[in-house]
Short mmCIF file of all heavy atoms in Angstrom, two decimals:
data_model
loop_
_atom_site.label_atom_id
_atom_site.label_comp_id
_atom_site.label_asym_id
_atom_site.label_seq_id
_atom_site.Cartn_x
_atom_site.Cartn_y
_atom_site.Cartn_z
N LEU A 184 -41.80 -16.71 175.52
CA LEU A 184 -40.93 -17.60 176.28
C LEU A 184 -39.80 -18.17 175.42
O LEU A 184 -38.63 -17.82 175.57
CB LEU A 184 -41.76 -18.74 176.88
CG LEU A 184 -40.99 -19.79 177.68
CD1 LEU A 184 -40.45 -19.21 178.97
CD2 LEU A 184 -41.88 -21.00 177.97
N ASP A 185 -40.16 -19.04 174.48
CA ASP A 185 -39.15 -19.80 173.74
C ASP A 185 -38.40 -18.94 172.73
O ASP A 185 -39.01 -18.18 171.96
CB ASP A 185 -39.81 -20.99 173.04
CG ASP A 185 -40.38 -21.98 174.05
OD1 ASP A 185 -39.60 -22.50 174.85
OD2 ASP A 185 -41.61 -22.20 174.04
N ASN A 186 -37.10 -19.09 172.74
CA ASN A 186 -36.19 -18.30 171.89
C ASN A 186 -36.28 -16.80 172.18
O ASN A 186 -35.85 -15.99 171.37
CB ASN A 186 -36.45 -18.55 170.40
CG ASN A 186 -35.98 -19.93 169.96
OD1 ASN A 186 -35.30 -20.63 170.71
ND2 ASN A 186 -36.35 -20.33 168.76
N THR A 187 -36.84 -16.47 173.33
CA THR A 187 -36.90 -15.07 173.78
C THR A 187 -36.24 -14.93 175.14
O THR A 187 -35.31 -14.15 175.31
CB THR A 187 -38.35 -14.57 173.81
OG1 THR A 187 -38.90 -14.61 172.49
CG2 THR A 187 -38.42 -13.13 174.32
N LEU A 188 -36.71 -15.72 176.12
CA LEU A 188 -36.10 -15.68 177.44
C LEU A 188 -34.84 -16.55 177.53
O LEU A 188 -34.14 -16.54 178.53
CB LEU A 188 -37.11 -16.08 178.51
CG LEU A 188 -38.20 -15.05 178.78
CD1 LEU A 188 -39.20 -15.57 179.80
CD2 LEU A 188 -37.60 -13.73 179.27
N TYR A 189 -34.58 -17.29 176.48
CA TYR A 189 -33.31 -18.01 176.36
C TYR A 189 -32.90 -17.99 174.88
O TYR A 189 -33.73 -17.76 174.00
CB TYR A 189 -33.41 -19.46 176.87
CG TYR A 189 -34.38 -20.32 176.11
CD1 TYR A 189 -34.01 -20.98 174.94
CD2 TYR A 189 -35.70 -20.48 176.56
CE1 TYR A 189 -34.91 -21.76 174.25
CE2 TYR A 189 -36.60 -21.25 175.87
CZ TYR A 189 -36.20 -21.90 174.72
OH TYR A 189 -37.10 -22.67 174.02
N SER A 190 -31.63 -18.21 174.62
CA SER A 190 -31.12 -18.13 173.27
C SER A 190 -31.54 -19.33 172.42
O SER A 190 -31.60 -20.47 172.90
CB SER A 190 -29.58 -18.06 173.30
OG SER A 190 -29.04 -18.16 172.00
N ARG A 191 -31.78 -19.07 171.14
CA ARG A 191 -32.13 -20.15 170.23
C ARG A 191 -30.96 -21.11 170.00
O ARG A 191 -31.14 -22.22 169.48
CB ARG A 191 -32.63 -19.61 168.89
CG ARG A 191 -31.64 -18.85 168.07
CD ARG A 191 -32.17 -18.52 166.66
NE ARG A 191 -33.48 -17.93 166.65
CZ ARG A 191 -34.58 -18.54 166.17
NH1 ARG A 191 -34.50 -19.76 165.68
NH2 ARG A 191 -35.73 -17.93 166.17
N ARG A 192 -29.76 -20.72 170.41
CA ARG A 192 -28.60 -21.59 170.19
C ARG A 192 -28.69 -22.90 170.98
O ARG A 192 -28.00 -23.87 170.67
CB ARG A 192 -27.30 -20.87 170.53
CG ARG A 192 -27.06 -20.61 172.00
CD ARG A 192 -25.68 -19.98 172.23
NE ARG A 192 -25.43 -19.69 173.63
CZ ARG A 192 -25.75 -18.56 174.24
NH1 ARG A 192 -26.36 -17.59 173.56
NH2 ARG A 192 -25.48 -18.38 175.52
N TYR A 193 -29.56 -22.94 172.01
CA TYR A 193 -29.72 -24.17 172.77
C TYR A 193 -30.55 -25.21 172.03
O TYR A 193 -30.60 -26.37 172.44
CB TYR A 193 -30.32 -23.87 174.15
CG TYR A 193 -29.39 -23.07 175.01
CD1 TYR A 193 -29.67 -21.73 175.31
CD2 TYR A 193 -28.21 -23.62 175.51
CE1 TYR A 193 -28.80 -20.98 176.09
CE2 TYR A 193 -27.34 -22.87 176.28
CZ TYR A 193 -27.64 -21.54 176.56
OH TYR A 193 -26.77 -20.80 177.33
N GLY A 194 -31.23 -24.80 170.98
CA GLY A 194 -31.92 -25.73 170.10
C GLY A 194 -33.22 -26.32 170.62
O GLY A 194 -33.76 -27.24 170.01
N LEU A 195 -33.76 -25.78 171.71
CA LEU A 195 -34.98 -26.37 172.27
C LEU A 195 -36.15 -26.30 171.30
O LEU A 195 -36.87 -27.29 171.10
CB LEU A 195 -35.35 -25.67 173.58
CG LEU A 195 -34.76 -26.28 174.86
CD1 LEU A 195 -33.25 -26.04 174.90
CD2 LEU A 195 -35.41 -25.67 176.09
N GLU A 196 -36.33 -25.14 170.69
CA GLU A 196 -37.48 -25.01 169.79
C GLU A 196 -37.25 -25.76 168.49
O GLU A 196 -38.19 -26.32 167.92
CB GLU A 196 -37.77 -23.53 169.51
CG GLU A 196 -39.09 -23.34 168.79
CD GLU A 196 -39.63 -21.93 168.89
OE1 GLU A 196 -40.24 -21.60 169.92
OE2 GLU A 196 -39.44 -21.18 167.93
N ASP A 197 -36.02 -25.81 168.03
CA ASP A 197 -35.72 -26.61 166.83
C ASP A 197 -36.04 -28.08 167.07
O ASP A 197 -36.62 -28.75 166.21
CB ASP A 197 -34.25 -26.45 166.45
CG ASP A 197 -33.91 -25.07 165.92
OD1 ASP A 197 -34.84 -24.38 165.47
OD2 ASP A 197 -32.74 -24.68 165.97
N ASN A 198 -35.67 -28.59 168.24
CA ASN A 198 -35.96 -29.98 168.57
C ASN A 198 -37.46 -30.21 168.71
O ASN A 198 -37.98 -31.25 168.29
CB ASN A 198 -35.25 -30.38 169.87
CG ASN A 198 -33.74 -30.44 169.71
OD1 ASN A 198 -33.22 -30.64 168.61
ND2 ASN A 198 -33.03 -30.27 170.81
N ALA A 199 -38.15 -29.24 169.28
CA ALA A 199 -39.60 -29.35 169.40
C ALA A 199 -40.26 -29.39 168.03
O ALA A 199 -41.23 -30.13 167.81
CB ALA A 199 -40.16 -28.19 170.23
N LYS A 200 -39.74 -28.61 167.10
CA LYS A 200 -40.31 -28.60 165.74
C LYS A 200 -40.10 -29.94 165.05
O LYS A 200 -40.97 -30.41 164.30
CB LYS A 200 -39.68 -27.47 164.93
CG LYS A 200 -40.19 -26.09 165.32
CD LYS A 200 -39.53 -25.00 164.47
CE LYS A 200 -40.07 -23.63 164.84
NZ LYS A 200 -39.42 -22.54 164.06
N ILE A 201 -38.96 -30.57 165.30
CA ILE A 201 -38.71 -31.90 164.72
C ILE A 201 -39.72 -32.91 165.28
O ILE A 201 -40.31 -33.70 164.54
CB ILE A 201 -37.27 -32.35 165.01
CG1 ILE A 201 -36.28 -31.48 164.23
CG2 ILE A 201 -37.08 -33.83 164.65
CD1 ILE A 201 -34.83 -31.70 164.62
N ARG A 202 -39.91 -32.88 166.60
CA ARG A 202 -40.89 -33.80 167.21
C ARG A 202 -42.30 -33.50 166.71
O ARG A 202 -43.10 -34.41 166.49
CB ARG A 202 -40.82 -33.68 168.73
CG ARG A 202 -39.52 -34.19 169.33
CD ARG A 202 -39.58 -34.26 170.85
NE ARG A 202 -39.65 -32.97 171.49
CZ ARG A 202 -38.59 -32.27 171.91
NH1 ARG A 202 -37.37 -32.74 171.73
NH2 ARG A 202 -38.75 -31.10 172.51
N MET A 203 -42.61 -32.24 166.51
CA MET A 203 -43.91 -31.83 165.99
C MET A 203 -44.13 -32.38 164.58
O MET A 203 -45.20 -32.92 164.26
CB MET A 203 -44.00 -30.31 165.97
CG MET A 203 -45.33 -29.73 165.56
SD MET A 203 -45.23 -27.92 165.44
CE MET A 203 -44.60 -27.49 167.07
N GLN A 204 -43.10 -32.24 163.76
CA GLN A 204 -43.17 -32.73 162.38
C GLN A 204 -43.42 -34.24 162.36
O GLN A 204 -44.26 -34.74 161.61
CB GLN A 204 -41.85 -32.41 161.67
CG GLN A 204 -41.89 -32.55 160.17
CD GLN A 204 -42.15 -31.22 159.49
OE1 GLN A 204 -42.65 -30.27 160.11
NE2 GLN A 204 -41.79 -31.13 158.25
N GLU A 205 -42.71 -34.95 163.23
CA GLU A 205 -42.85 -36.41 163.28
C GLU A 205 -44.23 -36.81 163.78
O GLU A 205 -44.84 -37.75 163.26
CB GLU A 205 -41.76 -37.00 164.18
CG GLU A 205 -40.35 -36.85 163.61
CD GLU A 205 -39.28 -37.28 164.59
OE1 GLU A 205 -39.60 -37.45 165.79
OE2 GLU A 205 -38.12 -37.43 164.17
N PHE A 206 -44.73 -36.10 164.78
CA PHE A 206 -46.05 -36.42 165.32
C PHE A 206 -47.13 -36.20 164.28
O PHE A 206 -48.00 -37.06 164.07
CB PHE A 206 -46.32 -35.56 166.56
CG PHE A 206 -47.60 -35.92 167.27
CD1 PHE A 206 -47.58 -36.78 168.35
CD2 PHE A 206 -48.83 -35.41 166.85
CE1 PHE A 206 -48.76 -37.12 169.01
CE2 PHE A 206 -50.00 -35.74 167.49
CZ PHE A 206 -49.97 -36.61 168.58
N ILE A 207 -47.11 -35.06 163.63
CA ILE A 207 -48.14 -34.75 162.64
C ILE A 207 -48.03 -35.67 161.44
O ILE A 207 -49.04 -36.09 160.86
CB ILE A 207 -48.05 -33.27 162.21
CG1 ILE A 207 -48.33 -32.36 163.41
CG2 ILE A 207 -49.03 -32.96 161.08
CD1 ILE A 207 -48.14 -30.88 163.13
N SER A 208 -46.81 -36.03 161.07
CA SER A 208 -46.60 -36.98 159.98
C SER A 208 -47.28 -38.30 160.29
O SER A 208 -47.97 -38.89 159.45
CB SER A 208 -45.10 -37.19 159.75
OG SER A 208 -44.88 -38.20 158.79
N GLY A 209 -47.10 -38.78 161.54
CA GLY A 209 -47.74 -40.03 161.93
C GLY A 209 -49.25 -39.92 161.99
O GLY A 209 -49.97 -40.84 161.57
N PHE A 210 -49.75 -38.78 162.48
CA PHE A 210 -51.20 -38.59 162.57
C PHE A 210 -51.85 -38.55 161.20
O PHE A 210 -52.90 -39.17 160.98
CB PHE A 210 -51.49 -37.30 163.34
CG PHE A 210 -52.93 -36.86 163.28
CD1 PHE A 210 -53.93 -37.62 163.86
CD2 PHE A 210 -53.29 -35.70 162.60
CE1 PHE A 210 -55.26 -37.22 163.80
CE2 PHE A 210 -54.61 -35.30 162.53
CZ PHE A 210 -55.60 -36.06 163.13
N LEU A 211 -51.23 -37.84 160.27
CA LEU A 211 -51.81 -37.70 158.93
C LEU A 211 -51.46 -38.85 158.00
O LEU A 211 -52.08 -39.01 156.95
CB LEU A 211 -51.35 -36.37 158.30
CG LEU A 211 -51.81 -35.09 158.99
CD1 LEU A 211 -51.23 -33.87 158.28
CD2 LEU A 211 -53.33 -35.00 159.03
N GLY A 212 -50.45 -39.64 158.38
CA GLY A 212 -50.03 -40.76 157.54
C GLY A 212 -49.33 -40.31 156.27
O GLY A 212 -49.50 -40.93 155.21
N ILE A 213 -48.57 -39.23 156.35
CA ILE A 213 -47.84 -38.72 155.20
C ILE A 213 -46.39 -38.46 155.59
O ILE A 213 -46.03 -38.47 156.76
CB ILE A 213 -48.47 -37.41 154.66
CG1 ILE A 213 -48.45 -36.32 155.76
CG2 ILE A 213 -49.89 -37.66 154.18
CD1 ILE A 213 -49.01 -34.98 155.28
N GLU A 214 -45.54 -38.24 154.59
CA GLU A 214 -44.14 -37.96 154.84
C GLU A 214 -43.97 -36.59 155.50
O GLU A 214 -44.78 -35.68 155.29
CB GLU A 214 -43.34 -38.01 153.54
CG GLU A 214 -43.32 -39.38 152.88
CD GLU A 214 -42.61 -40.43 153.70
OE1 GLU A 214 -41.64 -40.05 154.41
OE2 GLU A 214 -43.02 -41.59 153.66
N SER A 215 -42.90 -36.46 156.28
CA SER A 215 -42.68 -35.22 157.01
C SER A 215 -42.48 -34.03 156.07
O SER A 215 -42.86 -32.90 156.38
CB SER A 215 -41.47 -35.35 157.93
OG SER A 215 -40.30 -35.67 157.21
N GLU A 216 -41.91 -34.27 154.88
CA GLU A 216 -41.73 -33.19 153.92
C GLU A 216 -43.08 -32.64 153.47
O GLU A 216 -43.24 -31.43 153.26
CB GLU A 216 -40.93 -33.66 152.70
CG GLU A 216 -39.49 -34.01 152.97
CD GLU A 216 -39.31 -35.38 153.59
OE1 GLU A 216 -40.32 -36.12 153.72
OE2 GLU A 216 -38.17 -35.72 153.96
N GLU A 217 -44.07 -33.51 153.34
CA GLU A 217 -45.40 -33.06 152.93
C GLU A 217 -46.07 -32.29 154.07
O GLU A 217 -46.82 -31.34 153.82
CB GLU A 217 -46.27 -34.24 152.52
CG GLU A 217 -47.59 -33.82 151.89
CD GLU A 217 -48.39 -34.99 151.35
OE1 GLU A 217 -47.86 -36.11 151.32
OE2 GLU A 217 -49.55 -34.76 150.95
N VAL A 218 -45.80 -32.68 155.30
CA VAL A 218 -46.32 -31.93 156.45
C VAL A 218 -45.82 -30.51 156.39
O VAL A 218 -46.59 -29.55 156.59
CB VAL A 218 -45.88 -32.59 157.78
CG1 VAL A 218 -46.25 -31.67 158.96
CG2 VAL A 218 -46.53 -33.95 157.95
N TRP A 219 -44.53 -30.34 156.15
CA TRP A 219 -43.95 -29.01 156.07
C TRP A 219 -44.62 -28.20 154.96
O TRP A 219 -44.94 -27.01 155.16
CB TRP A 219 -42.45 -29.12 155.82
CG TRP A 219 -41.76 -27.80 155.66
CD1 TRP A 219 -41.19 -27.30 154.54
CD2 TRP A 219 -41.58 -26.79 156.66
NE1 TRP A 219 -40.66 -26.06 154.77
CE2 TRP A 219 -40.88 -25.72 156.06
CE3 TRP A 219 -41.94 -26.69 158.00
CZ2 TRP A 219 -40.56 -24.56 156.76
CZ3 TRP A 219 -41.60 -25.54 158.70
CH2 TRP A 219 -40.91 -24.50 158.07
N HIS A 220 -44.85 -28.82 153.81
CA HIS A 220 -45.48 -28.11 152.69
C HIS A 220 -46.91 -27.69 153.07
O HIS A 220 -47.31 -26.54 152.81
CB HIS A 220 -45.52 -29.01 151.46
CG HIS A 220 -46.32 -28.45 150.33
ND1 HIS A 220 -45.90 -27.36 149.58
CD2 HIS A 220 -47.54 -28.79 149.82
CE1 HIS A 220 -46.80 -27.07 148.67
NE2 HIS A 220 -47.81 -27.92 148.80
N LEU A 221 -47.67 -28.58 153.68
CA LEU A 221 -49.05 -28.25 154.06
C LEU A 221 -49.09 -27.15 155.10
O LEU A 221 -49.95 -26.27 155.07
CB LEU A 221 -49.76 -29.50 154.59
CG LEU A 221 -50.13 -30.57 153.57
CD1 LEU A 221 -50.68 -31.80 154.27
CD2 LEU A 221 -51.12 -30.04 152.56
N ARG A 222 -48.15 -27.21 156.05
CA ARG A 222 -48.11 -26.18 157.10
C ARG A 222 -47.82 -24.81 156.50
O ARG A 222 -48.31 -23.79 156.97
CB ARG A 222 -47.05 -26.55 158.15
CG ARG A 222 -46.93 -25.55 159.30
CD ARG A 222 -48.19 -25.52 160.14
NE ARG A 222 -48.06 -24.64 161.29
CZ ARG A 222 -48.47 -23.37 161.32
NH1 ARG A 222 -49.04 -22.83 160.26
NH2 ARG A 222 -48.32 -22.65 162.41
N ARG A 223 -47.00 -24.79 155.45
CA ARG A 223 -46.61 -23.53 154.81
C ARG A 223 -47.68 -23.03 153.85
O ARG A 223 -47.63 -21.87 153.42
CB ARG A 223 -45.29 -23.70 154.05
CG ARG A 223 -44.11 -24.08 154.92
CD ARG A 223 -43.63 -22.93 155.75
NE ARG A 223 -42.99 -21.91 154.95
CZ ARG A 223 -42.49 -20.79 155.43
NH1 ARG A 223 -42.57 -20.52 156.71
NH2 ARG A 223 -41.92 -19.90 154.63
N THR A 224 -48.65 -23.87 153.49
CA THR A 224 -49.70 -23.46 152.55
C THR A 224 -51.04 -23.33 153.27
O THR A 224 -51.42 -22.26 153.71
CB THR A 224 -49.80 -24.46 151.37
OG1 THR A 224 -49.95 -25.80 151.88
CG2 THR A 224 -48.54 -24.40 150.51
N GLU A 225 -51.75 -24.43 153.45
CA GLU A 225 -53.08 -24.33 154.08
C GLU A 225 -53.00 -23.97 155.55
O GLU A 225 -53.95 -23.44 156.12
CB GLU A 225 -53.85 -25.64 153.90
CG GLU A 225 -53.33 -26.82 154.69
CD GLU A 225 -54.23 -28.04 154.52
OE1 GLU A 225 -54.61 -28.34 153.38
OE2 GLU A 225 -54.52 -28.67 155.55
N GLY A 226 -51.86 -24.25 156.20
CA GLY A 226 -51.75 -23.97 157.62
C GLY A 226 -51.20 -22.62 157.97
O GLY A 226 -51.13 -22.26 159.14
N LYS A 227 -50.83 -21.83 156.98
CA LYS A 227 -50.15 -20.57 157.27
C LYS A 227 -51.05 -19.53 157.94
O LYS A 227 -50.56 -18.60 158.56
CB LYS A 227 -49.55 -19.99 155.99
CG LYS A 227 -50.55 -19.53 154.96
CD LYS A 227 -49.84 -18.98 153.72
CE LYS A 227 -50.81 -18.51 152.67
NZ LYS A 227 -50.12 -17.97 151.47
N LYS A 228 -52.36 -19.70 157.83
CA LYS A 228 -53.27 -18.73 158.44
C LYS A 228 -53.48 -18.97 159.93
O LYS A 228 -54.15 -18.19 160.59
CB LYS A 228 -54.62 -18.75 157.72
CG LYS A 228 -55.35 -20.08 157.78
CD LYS A 228 -56.63 -20.04 156.93
CE LYS A 228 -57.32 -21.39 156.90
NZ LYS A 228 -58.54 -21.36 156.07
#
C-alpha cells in the first residue's frame, strides 16, 4: 500500500515514521536518536 499505490513524494510514510519515532521514544524513555540506533541494530530482524 504505502509508497506503492501512491508516490512517496506526498510524505505520508515519512510523517508516520516521525510519529513512530516519537511514540517509541516516549514509551522507552530515551532520545529519538537512540530509538533509531536500536531499531537499526537489535530491531533489524
Side-chain angles (χ1 to χ4, degrees):
L184 178 69
D185 295 300
N186 288 350
T187 298
L188 288 177
Y189 62 85
S190 172
R191 65 172 50 248
R192 71 175 179 271
Y193 294 109
L195 270 69
E196 190 161 279
D197 290 338
N198 291 335
K200 286 180 178 178
I201 291 171
R202 292 189 292 268
M203 185 186 306
Q204 194 96 340
E205 292 173 347
F206 186 96
I207 296 175
S208 175
F210 169 66
L211 295 178
I213 60 178
E214 296 295 327
S215 59
E216 292 80 5
E217 189 174 352
V218 171
W219 177 248
H220 172 72
L221 288 174
R222 181 65 176 96
R223 298 287 289 180
T224 53
E225 70 176 46
K227 67 180 180 180
K228 61 185 176 181

